[in-house]
Amino acid sequence: MLHEILLSLSGHPSPLLRNEYSDAGPGALLSAPERDLLKTAGHLSDLHCNLIKYTTHISASHPSVICRAAATAISAAHLAAFQQKILDVEAGILCKDASLVGAYNIVPLTAVIGEFSGWTRRLEWLWDLVQFMSRKKDDGALCTGAELMNKLRGELLTGYADIEETASSLVKVAETAWLKQVSAWVLYGRLPSFGAQDFFILKDEHDEQGYKVDPSLLPSFVTSHTASSMLFIGTSLNRVRSKSAGQSSTAGTLGHLSSQLQELSSLSFPLSSAALSKATNAIRLNYSRTVLQKLLPLERVLEMLQLLRQFMLLGRGEFAMALTQQADDRTRSRWRRADNLAYQKRDSLSTVVVKEGEVAAVLARTWAALGMMQSQHADEDEELEFARDVLQLTMSSSLSTTKEAPGGLVDTPFRNLLLSAPVEITVRIPSPLDLFLSTSDAQIYSCINSYLLSIRRAHLRLTDLWKITRLRRHHLAPPRAPFSMTRGGLAKTKTLRERWSSRSTYLRSTWTTTSAAIFFLAETEAYLQIEVVEELWSDFLSWLADTSESADDGRIRAPDRHLQSKTISQLSDNLWVPSGLSRHQQSGAGQPATTFKVAHHDPQTLSVAHRLYLRCLTRRLLLTQHVFTAPMYNLLIHADHLVALVHRLDSIWTSMDLESDEGVVDAFSNLEADEADVKTNLRSLEVKIKKAVEEVIKVLRNLSIDPTFLAEIENDGLLEDEDHMAEDDQKRYIPKRTGGVDRLLMKLDFGGWFGSG
């Protein structure tokens, strides 16, 4: 009987524990206490048999390598220990151990079963764990490695010492298997050769980097910052390997693995979030100093950021002026061509539709115009050539005004204003700059550019109305003598003066409205460009290069374009160098000396800081507030309409003058009806512009006291994944507190016309 019990506990089903005679009844061969003891033995036997069966199946077929490792550890360690316990009990019986064998060589069944009392809870826990790994979800998927590790770490807190010991050993096995997968990625840039679908980094053909992080496969002890660091390390190594394929430099790329392996091997189990983040940051910084040193110099980063500032954020005002002028010329020529064909063809509207070739031609002529402007400045030609390569003016297919743009920007269609069609300037991010600049960053720059360019364009077009000298003169000069002294000459002089006096009187309210709108746009544009864009850019550039002025007042001044170019050129041979190194630049005569201390900023730190810079920029430009962008867009639409009506009125009056003075008659037009219609629309539009400006100012006043908006501005210094930055990380970029809607309102208060009514 003892032999059968031990065989059954070893995983061999025994009829003794399953025979019907072992049950209670009239013909029962066993007493009630014996049946209870055999039930305990049978329960242990069933658990052991099931564990052997299921762990073997999991080790052979489970898609997760971590689950396979845990199942193998259960079989090789814990079930083997249980088997060894059975052998020890059997050896004790054969050796007549006093704890098992009593007088007359009697072996009490209670003593034998009591030897396994500590294994019941452990085997039951292991069985629940094995069932957890084998159970299918609603979608038919099995347990993932991350879910298993999270469960095991939770089981460390059950309060039972034996369960904690068992769970701790399995946690070490599971996390070791997971750490091997991580090692393949962060050391070689390769996904695991087996079980890659269970790894938290997956291939993604639609992603610009080719890989992405799946949050559902992340263990609980891995923070989002650590995961993004691992993603960056692996994608960078992939880029290096593809760039140096077939070259001897690959060996040098992998020459620093010993220090990286030491960082990973020094980790203790269970893995700590802080320790893992510290090791990951150390590996990332080491790669930045070695592998990425030649791949992504700091000079190229600053060059790209400088280009984005000058062209996308309109740091070079001549670019916005040239682009607006070329776009307006293209629009006028397109409508002129449509008017010429209107007499012959009924489908003349087809010539008004903007085509992709025309859009590209506008930017090409803009570059040509800028090249002529800057021909005398040879130091700026290189920046202009770089802009030609990476900037494109393309048509956008989306006309939605409610869709959320990247970065939380409200997609108000400012891009529709340049060419009366949805066009925008896009940035092509060359490799390897995409290590720290993403496609979403480029889209945010495009949205900001459309927004700033539309305001600049409206301002320029309104001021250009003063170039129509015919509308600004009080009257024409009288006829020359001696005709001016005749009765007919005097009558004509009087007629001309009355005509232009009436026109001047009529246009007085138009000029007033235009002047007020120009004042509003000028102050708004100055606030956005100087107090928001320039201040944030200067602060971000100072953080990049750790620039400090040695002027007497001790304040950091915003460097101009030439000083920024010198900064970039001086940092050309500093590739993610450690902090503590410094450069001294002596400026020209009479200029204070400028000191550049180049801090260590690896590409991922740059990427995080740049995303924070962009987020602060969009919020302080009010591009996340639909309540502001919608009335501002309406105001810009009305400004365009006002410019068109004034030009139309000028052409009508010119035609009327030719008809009355020179006898030139246009049989296909009714000038009086056209004049009346334009005047009616012009008066109506003046009211709309005034109301639109008042609405924008009302929104600004509401935002200046809105606690939600003010809280967003206050929290701009923190990104979600920066919460978990390791203590040994570099000094984080904290945006400068600048701007403030109240400052803009204080300037606009001088325009009392806005607040009237």
Side-chain angles (χ1 to χ4, degrees):
M1 180 177 179
L2 290 177
H3 182 68
E4 289 291 332
I5 292 175
L6 294 177
L7 282 176
S8 178
L9 291 176
S10 298
H12 303 281
S14 173
L16 176 65
L17 304 181
R18 295 169 176 80
N19 195 281
E20 60 180 0
Y21 294 105
S22 62
D23 297 334
L29 301 177
L30 302 174
S31 62
E34 290 176 328
R35 287 197 300 271
D36 292 338
L37 292 174
L38 289 180
K39 284 182 180 179
T40 302
H43 180 56
L44 290 174
S45 175
D46 292 339
L47 290 174
H48 193 194
C49 292
N50 290 331
L51 286 172
I52 293 174
K53 176 182 177 182
Y54 277 80
T55 53
T56 303
H57 178 72
I58 293 174
S59 299
S61 62
H62 202 284
S64 172
V65 175
I66 298 172
C67 292
R68 289 192 178 195
T72 303
I74 291 174
S75 177
H78 300 285
L79 296 186
F82 182 69
Q83 184 68 40
Q84 184 61 43
K85 179 64 177 179
I86 296 173
L87 295 177
D88 292 342
V89 171
E90 185 179 11
I93 294 174
L94 295 177
C95 296
K96 298 182 180 180
D97 189 349
S99 61
L100 293 172
V101 182
Y104 305 104
N105 294 330
I106 296 175
V107 181
L109 186 58
T110 305
V112 174
I113 301 301
E115 289 291 325
F116 300 97
S117 59
W119 281 93
T120 302
R121 182 171 55 241
R122 187 180 303 182
L123 292 181
E124 289 176 347
W125 182 83
L126 289 173
W127 173 237
D128 291 339
L129 184 64
V130 168
Q131 286 183 309
F132 177 78
M133 289 188 286
S134 303
R135 189 180 303 117
K136 290 186 178 181
K137 305 175 186 177
D138 295 337
D139 57 356
L142 294 174
C143 165
T144 63
E147 293 172 342
L148 177 62
M149 286 185 285
N150 294 339
K151 179 176 178 59
L152 289 174
R153 293 171 74 92
E155 294 297 328
L156 294 175
L157 307 176
T158 57
Y160 296 102
D162 54 345
I163 300 299
E164 180 182 358
E165 179 183 358
T166 305
S168 179
S169 64
L170 293 179
V171 164
K172 182 177 181 180
V173 171
E175 293 183 354
T176 300
W178 178 81
L179 200 58
K180 288 181 179 180
Q181 292 181 320
V182 172
S183 301
W185 176 253
V186 300
L187 298 182
Y188 303 98
R190 302 181 186 275
L191 291 175
S193 56
F194 181 77
Q197 70 277 9
D198 189 50
F199 193 49
F200 67 92
I201 294 178
L202 304 175
K203 281 188 176 182
D204 186 6
E205 297 179 356
H206 302 288
D207 191 88
E208 54 190 314
Q209 296 182 349
Y211 299 90
K212 67 176 182 179
V213 173
D214 188 349
S216 63
L217 299 178
L218 268 180
S220 59
F221 56 86
V222 182
T223 64
S224 58
H225 172 72
T226 304
S228 62
S229 294
M230 292 180 179
L231 176 64
F232 168 77
I233 293 171
T235 52
S236 302
L237 291 177
N238 268 289
R239 192 71 51 80
V240 172
R241 188 171 60 249
S242 61
K243 190 180 184 66
S244 59
Q247 300 179 7
S248 58
S249 59
T250 306
T253 299
L254 305 178
H256 303 274
L257 292 182
S258 58
S259 59
Q260 321 298 348
L261 287 171
Q262 185 177 2
E263 290 288 345
L264 295 177
S265 61
S266 62
L267 297 173
S268 59
F269 301 96
L271 294 174
S272 168
S273 298
L276 182 62
S277 178
K278 182 178 180 181
T280 304
N281 290 332
I283 294 174
R284 188 189 76 236
L285 295 177
N286 193 8
Y287 274 125
S288 299
R289 297 187 185 103
T290 56
V291 177
L292 300 181
Q293 186 176 13
K294 297 180 180 179
L295 182 64
L296 187 60
L298 182 58
E299 179 190 17
R300 295 201 61 185
V301 174
L302 292 176
E303 182 183 17
M304 187 65 182
L305 292 176
Q306 179 77 6
L307 179 138
L308 294 173
R309 167 66 183 103
Q310 297 299 337
F311 291 92
M312 299 301 290
L313 302 182
L314 305 187
R316 294 178 64 163
E318 63 271 20
F319 172 70
M321 293 180 62
L323 182 61
T324 299
Q325 181 181 0
Q326 296 300 328
D328 289 346
D329 290 345
R330 170 58 61 177
T331 302
R332 283 193 294 267
S333 64
R334 191 168 62 246
W335 282 104
R336 191 180 304 115
R337 185 169 63 251
D339 290 340
N340 293 335
L341 294 175
Y343 296 102
Q344 303 174 6
K345 297 182 179 180
R346 295 296 183 182
D347 58 346
S348 59
L349 287 179
S350 62
T351 63
V352 182
V353 178
V354 181
K355 300 178 182 179
E356 190 71 36
E358 291 180 325
V359 173
V362 168
L363 186 60
R365 286 193 294 271
T366 301
W367 295 134
L370 286 178
M372 295 179 63
M373 293 180 188
Q374 304 299 333
S375 58
Q376 66 272 24
H377 301 293
D379 57 328
E380 297 181 358
D381 291 342
E382 185 177 352
E383 182 182 65
L384 191 60
E385 289 301 321
F386 185 35
R388 288 175 183 262
D389 295 336
V390 300
L391 297 183
Q392 296 175 335
L393 185 64
T394 59
M395 298 188 66
S396 175
S397 59
S398 175
L399 293 174
S400 173
T401 60
T402 59
K403 184 185 68 174
E404 288 293 328
L409 275 67
V410 179
D411 193 23
T412 304
F414 291 102
R415 60 184 178 274
N416 296 346
L417 298 176
L418 183 63
L419 286 169
S420 301
V423 297
E424 59 186 0
I425 298 180
T426 58
V427 184
R428 181 185 60 84
I429 304 174
S431 178
L433 290 172
D434 51 358
L435 287 175
F436 87 100
L437 275 178
S438 63
T439 302
S440 61
D441 295 339
Q443 292 174 351
I444 292 176
Y445 272 111
S446 296
C447 294
I448 296 176
N449 176 265
S450 299
Y451 170 65
L452 296 177
L453 184 62
S454 61
I455 297 177
R456 177 75 60 87
R457 174 179 174 272
H459 185 192
L460 292 174
R461 297 195 73 198
L462 288 175
T463 54
D464 284 344
L465 292 180
W466 267 260
K467 296 180 181 179
I468 310 176
T469 57
R470 293 184 300 272
L471 298 181
R472 294 188 293 106
R473 289 181 296 189
H474 293 291
H475 56 81
L476 291 178
R480 291 178 299 177
F483 181 74
S484 60
M485 304 304 297
T486 63
R487 181 175 299 179
L490 293 174
K492 185 174 183 180
T493 301
K494 182 179 179 181
T495 300
L496 292 177
R497 289 183 176 178
E498 290 177 351
R499 176 194 302 171
W500 290 103
S501 177
S502 63
R503 291 179 182 180
S504 177
T505 302
Y506 176 80
L507 287 177
R508 186 172 300 168
S509 62
T510 301
W511 293 123
T512 302
T513 302
T514 304
S515 300
I518 289 175
F519 171 78
F520 172 80
L521 292 176
E523 293 298 332
T524 303
E525 186 181 5
Y527 165 78
L528 297 177
Q529 283 289 347
I530 298 175
E531 300 210 16
V532 177
V533 176
E534 181 60 31
E535 287 291 332
L536 279 177
W537 163 249
S538 300
D539 179 62
F540 184 58
L541 182 64
S542 299
W543 176 84
L544 282 175
D546 199 5
T547 308
S548 58
E549 288 262 0
S550 60
D552 295 336
D553 57 5
R555 293 178 297 176
I556 296 178
R557 292 187 175 88
D560 59 16
R561 185 189 309 167
H562 300 285
L563 181 58
Q564 292 170 4
S565 300
K566 293 178 182 178
T567 304
I568 295 173
S569 62
Q570 288 196 350
L571 298 178
S572 60
D573 54 345
N574 290 276
L575 316 172
W576 324 120
V577 294
S579 58
L581 300 181
S582 63
R583 294 229 168 211
H584 300 275
Q585 176 199 21
Q586 298 295 334
S587 55
Q591 300 271 345
T594 305
T595 302
F596 298 104
K597 297 188 300 180
V598 184
H600 176 81
H601 301 307
D602 65 284
Q604 193 194 20
T605 302
L606 279 179
S607 179
V608 172
H610 182 254
R611 279 188 286 117
L612 180 56
Y613 160 74
L614 274 185
R615 192 180 76 168
C616 296
L617 184 61
T618 53
R619 284 188 176 177
R620 296 176 191 181
L621 288 175
L622 306 178
L623 270 175
T624 59
Q625 302 295 324
H626 187 269
V627 293
F628 172 79
T629 57
M632 175 60 76
Y633 176 73
N634 293 333
L635 174 61
L636 299 180
I637 290 289
H638 295 329
D640 274 356
H641 196 187
L642 176 67
V643 172
L645 287 179
V646 171
H647 280 283
R648 177 59 178 160
L649 185 61
D650 175 54
S651 65
I652 291 174
W653 282 346
T654 301
S655 299
M656 294 177 70
D657 293 344
L658 288 174
E659 183 177 339
S660 60
D661 298 340
E662 307 295 338
V664 179
V665 179
D666 186 357
F668 295 95
S669 62
N670 187 346
L671 297 178
E672 289 75 10
D674 292 345
E675 180 188 23
D677 182 60
V678 171
K679 286 184 175 180
T680 302
N681 292 334
L682 197 57
R683 284 289 181 263
S684 175
L685 192 61
E686 292 172 7
V687 176
K688 291 180 180 179
I689 290 179
K690 180 178 179 180
K691 291 183 178 179
V693 172
E694 291 175 346
E695 184 179 359
V696 173
I697 294 180
K698 180 180 179 181
V699 170
L700 290 175
R701 288 199 173 100
N702 293 335
L703 288 177
S704 65
I705 58 175
D706 184 5
T708 304
F709 172 73
L710 296 177
E712 289 180 357
I713 298 297
E714 290 294 326
N715 294 331
D716 272 343
L718 185 65
L719 281 179
E720 293 79 4
D721 52 358
E722 284 191 314
D723 295 334
H724 310 287
M725 296 277 280
E727 294 181 357
D728 62 339
D729 268 358
Q730 295 299 318
K731 182 181 178 181
R732 292 181 297 169
Y733 167 66
I734 300 178
K736 179 181 179 180
R737 291 190 177 183
T738 183
V741 179
D742 53 338
R743 298 174 63 88
L744 175 59
L745 287 171
M746 183 173 59
K747 296 180 180 180
L748 295 178
D749 282 341
F750 288 101
W753 176 82
F754 297 118
S756 63

